[in-house]
Amino acid sequence: MNKTQLMVNKIKAGTALWQDFKVILNLDSKDLEVLFKLSQEITEKNFGNILKIYNPTNRFPAISITGNECALECEHCNKKYLKGMKQISKNKDLEQFLIELSRKDGVGALISGGSEIDGSVPLLKFLDTIKKVKKETNLIINTHTGLLNEETAMKLADAGVDIISFDINMDEQVIREIYHLDIELSEYKRAIDLLKKYELHIVPHICIGLYYGKLNKELESIRFIKETEINPSLIVVIVLIPPKDSKVKFETPKPENIAKIIAILRFAFPKTEISLGCMRPRGKIKNEIEKFAIKAGITRIEIPSKDTLKWLKNNNKKIQFKYFSACCAIPKKFEKLAESKKVDIKRYINI
Ligand code: SF4
């Protein structure tokens, strides 16, 4: 029996260990199909033959509460993602914007922003406003908190924030060289413990390829999620987009490598949804990444291409699509609220 079949048997028997998952990282392309077959079987058994499709549209905008400012200027971002967000840095404006959003049939908002030097997003001073908005509207609030202190965790819970989108990274080189952060890995554990203490809904995000586009410590990040007992209902996978303006060279992460990480997630968390999130390379490679991610066992995807959905329909006649106008991290209980209107999905009609 070859080593791939041996591993498949171990996964099926529930006896695979972390060192077995490590073997997946070095498998050749020809051995991957066997793994994908298993990951699709597990996905279909636990989630049915459904792919959930998310598109935030203007019903779920992303807001930066620091404008264009960020103290870290990470290599992969260097503030460019902040520029694509609605910039609101005053409480009064945030309240007005969110109340207006709710009146105009908004579903929710992602509240994000640049980081402080300690890796936190300065949300604290906005949490009274968010609490007020949560009381007065049905908006779903998703936040990027970064590494946070106890007061912020307590007030996030008190404000009724629905989702904490939290980037997990267990790679010291990435922390220092890419994030420019001077912290210990244990800070992640401290932050997760605080989020758990205040019973916040954590949606871990793993960014594949942050180490100059190569796989490095993604497996350790997956293991961290398991060992800290977050027990997430969903894990979001995002993918490095190689920065053009960095002094250091970044590769584009290989679609096969992305799929290997997703397959490991599927095997390590068989009952957890997996989403291919919004940050990922576009252009020619986009469709390939999406197809590999579907083969490896995602259940959710943010703005897939039409070609990918056509390909999926051709290969899987019974697949059903469900459309939502929201961030891909929304919990299942909000799905009714976030359902897309016809006008939001017209690009996918006739697939
Ligand atoms: S990856 Fe999903 S949850 Fe995270 S910001 Fe993008 S759309 Fe929102």
Side-chain angles (χ1 to χ4, degrees):
M1 196 181 296
N2 70 25
K3 64 175 187 235
T4 317
Q5 196 53 55
L6 208 64
M7 190 168 34
V8 164
N9 291 351
K10 278 189 182 179
I11 295 167
K12 280 185 175 164
T15 55
L17 304 169
W18 291 105
Q19 67 253 34
D20 296 308
F21 292 146
K22 208 167 184 175
V23 174
I24 294 179
L25 300 177
N26 298 317
L27 286 181
D28 293 335
S29 310
K30 64 174 172 37
D31 294 321
L32 289 178
E33 290 304 322
V34 190
L35 277 187
F36 292 157
K37 191 168 171 286
L38 178 62
S39 54
Q40 282 174 49
E41 270 171 29
I42 298 172
T43 306
E44 200 173 322
K45 180 171 154 246
N46 292 332
F47 303 99
N49 202 355
I50 296 167
L51 183 67
K52 298 179 187 171
I53 295 162
Y54 298 78
N55 183 356
T57 66
N58 51 14
R59 295 178 71 205
F60 208 109
I63 297 168
S64 167
I65 48 134
T66 64
N68 276 336
E69 295 306 312
C70 177
L72 294 179
E73 301 187 4
C74 302
E75 292 294 329
H76 67 297
C77 169
N78 199 11
K79 304 195 278 198
K80 71 172 173 279
Y81 297 113
L82 298 177
K83 291 182 188 138
M85 296 181 191
K86 173 93 189 154
Q87 315 215 331
I88 302 179
S89 43
K90 290 197 184 115
N91 271 294
K92 188 167 63 60
D93 297 341
L94 182 66
E95 181 179 339
Q96 211 172 30
F97 178 81
L98 292 174
I99 299 286
E100 190 59 18
L101 175 69
S102 163
R103 282 203 196 108
K104 288 186 181 154
D105 205 21
V107 171
L110 168 66
I111 304 195
S112 183
S115 296
E116 303 280 346
I117 202 75
D118 59 359
S120 65
V121 178
L123 280 173
L124 187 60
K125 67 174 192 260
F126 294 93
L127 291 174
D128 287 335
T129 299
I130 292 172
K131 181 175 178 177
K132 189 161 184 257
V133 170
K134 279 296 300 171
K135 276 206 177 121
E136 291 175 17
T137 72
N138 286 327
L139 291 177
I140 305 164
I141 300 295
N142 180 11
T143 53
H144 280 156
T145 62
L147 298 164
L148 73 181
N149 59 24
E150 178 142 16
E151 190 186 2
T152 307
M154 194 172 66
K155 287 199 79 173
L156 281 161
D158 180 56
V161 164
D162 302 290
I163 307 158
I164 310 292
S165 287
F166 191 92
D167 288 321
I168 305 279
N169 198 298
M170 285 294 110
D171 189 334
E172 278 183 350
Q173 282 169 294
V174 166
I175 285 172
R176 303 215 192 292
E177 296 168 31
I178 312 294
Y179 288 171
H180 308 144
L181 258 176
D182 186 18
I183 56 152
E184 299 302 320
L185 286 181
S186 56
E187 284 298 304
Y188 281 85
K189 169 86 170 64
R190 197 187 55 78
I192 293 296
D193 285 346
L194 285 173
L195 293 169
K196 280 169 58 184
K197 177 172 173 188
Y198 291 96
E199 298 180 358
L200 286 148
H201 184 83
I202 309 167
V203 176
H205 284 41
I206 292 184
C207 184
I208 299 177
L210 271 176
Y211 185 73
Y212 307 105
K214 301 183 190 94
L215 293 185
N216 200 38
K217 295 282 174 69
E218 285 79 355
L219 188 59
E220 278 74 0
S221 296
I222 298 174
R223 191 167 176 170
F224 174 85
I225 297 173
K226 194 76 174 180
E227 288 174 354
T228 46
E229 295 177 0
I230 300 172
N231 300 327
S233 53
L234 165 72
I235 296 171
V236 174
V237 167
I238 48 179
V239 183
L240 170 102
I241 302 174
K244 292 194 185 96
D245 48 2
S246 170
K247 280 175 234 120
V248 223
K249 200 169 157 17
F250 283 77
E251 296 170 8
T252 303
K254 293 189 178 56
E256 264 189 20
N257 285 344
I258 298 166
K260 286 176 183 174
I261 297 297
I262 294 173
I264 295 172
L265 277 169
R266 173 51 64 236
F267 301 142
F269 294 90
K271 299 218 165 134
T272 297
E273 284 206 67
I274 304 171
S275 179
L276 182 64
C278 59
M279 192 184 106
R280 58 186 199 265
R282 312 279 147 171
K284 274 193 206 149
I285 204 164
K286 180 179 190 286
N287 291 359
E288 208 186 335
I289 292 175
E290 293 175 355
K291 289 173 188 172
F292 267 103
I294 290 168
K295 285 184 180 189
I298 57 167
T299 53
R300 301 183 175 203
I301 187 166
E302 185 81 11
I303 318 184
S305 79
K306 250 175 114 169
D307 279 353
T308 301
L309 297 191
K310 277 187 189 155
W311 163 86
L312 180 55
K313 199 101 201 172
N314 281 337
N315 286 288
N316 180 352
K317 299 276 182 263
K318 290 198 179 137
I319 186 84
Q320 286 175 37
F321 300 134
K322 285 190 178 171
Y323 297 94
F324 304 98
S325 297
C327 251
C328 67
I330 58 157
K332 222 163 173 264
K333 66 177 180 188
F334 292 126
E335 287 185 346
K336 191 82 202 127
L337 197 67
E339 264 172 15
S340 290
K341 302 193 163 194
K342 268 200 182 130
V343 55
D344 292 338
I345 54 170
K346 58 178 188 294
R347 70 152 97 185
Y348 295 122
I349 285 169
N350 298 331
I351 282 175

